[in-house]
Amino acid sequence: MSTTPPVLAAELAQAWADIQRYHPELPDLAAPESLIGESSSACGAELSFERLLHEAVHGIAAARGVRDTSRAGRYHNRRFLAIAEEMGLDHSEEPHASSGFSLVTLNPEAKRRYRATIERLQRALKAHTAATAADTKRSFRGPAARHGSSGGGVRVKAVCDCGRNVRVVPSVLAQAPIVCGGCMKPFRIPDVAIAVAS
């Protein structure tokens, strides 16, 4: 098995298609490679089938026109939880103060339903992790990597009410609000941008 990102992206796309077989209203995954290396404290830091199913909940919410998050996508509300439960995800605790019902886990039925998909994706992720770990030993990553900067990840456009915008990694924006100097309101990631990619 090749361990290049395009192959992992193909495995992610196949896993997404497996979810669509049970949930046909789920939109297609536009850019599976955007999930590789992306971390979001609100949606889970580690890429896994469980995280992919979490993202699918956002996809179905978008397809239904349901607002399933607030606070720039950080807080996952009860509408998110209702769709998550439909899709085989549970949340056993009260909502988290800052991320709501974000921390969902596969229920036993979903584990059985998606067992082959989960195993295939775990193999691809393990091979990808091994390959990228080997690459980092041989390549120059720059001063940010050497000094532990959090600058990695896919940047998206965050906007404020006065029309200004900045590019930011969603997990950085999730740590604390970034306030616009022009209108003194926080930048937020528009719902359109986070509907499927969260």
Side-chain angles (χ1 to χ4, degrees):
M1 169 191 315
S2 172
T3 56
T4 61
V7 172
L8 179 54
E11 290 289 350
L12 288 165
Q14 181 58 54
W16 192 266
D18 292 349
I19 298 168
Q20 286 177 311
R21 276 203 302 270
Y22 295 99
H23 304 279
E25 70 183 304
L26 177 63
D28 291 338
L29 183 59
E33 62 277 2
S34 68
L35 294 171
I36 302 169
E38 172 69 11
S39 67
S40 167
S41 59
C43 296
E46 186 176 315
L47 185 54
S48 64
F49 182 76
E50 199 166 73
R51 164 87 188 280
L52 193 65
L53 198 57
H54 174 126
E55 299 300 336
V57 173
H58 292 303
I60 287 184
R64 293 179 182 174
V66 171
R67 187 174 172 91
D68 63 340
T69 63
S70 59
R71 302 179 196 166
R74 291 187 310 271
Y75 191 87
H76 294 59
N77 60 34
R78 290 191 184 277
R79 291 182 293 274
F80 170 87
L81 182 59
I83 297 170
E85 288 172 347
E86 284 178 41
M87 298 183 70
L89 292 166
D90 288 334
H91 189 283
S92 60
E93 302 171 8
E94 289 298 309
H96 186 273
S98 63
S99 63
F101 295 99
S102 174
L103 301 175
V104 288
T105 57
L106 285 167
N107 69 27
E109 181 184 337
K111 286 179 184 177
R112 283 190 297 277
R113 174 185 297 161
Y114 295 111
R115 181 181 332 178
T117 303
I118 292 166
E119 290 172 356
R120 191 179 66 238
L121 187 57
Q122 283 176 336
R123 284 192 302 272
L125 287 165
K126 186 175 180 180
H128 176 74
T129 300
T132 55
D135 284 348
T136 60
K137 292 176 184 171
R138 295 191 322 251
S139 59
F140 177 70
R141 306 290 278 177
R146 289 195 314 272
H147 298 295
S149 169
S150 62
V154 177
R155 286 170 171 70
V156 297
K157 182 164 70 170
V159 298
C160 73
D161 291 343
C162 72
R164 298 178 73 211
N165 64 71
V166 295
R167 289 263 183 215
V168 62
V169 177
S171 60
V172 171
L173 191 59
Q175 292 172 8
I178 298 173
V179 178
C180 172
C183 68
M184 302 310 291
K185 293 186 179 176
F187 284 94
R188 59 182 170 70
I189 299 172
D191 292 341
V192 174
I194 62 172
V196 176
S198 293

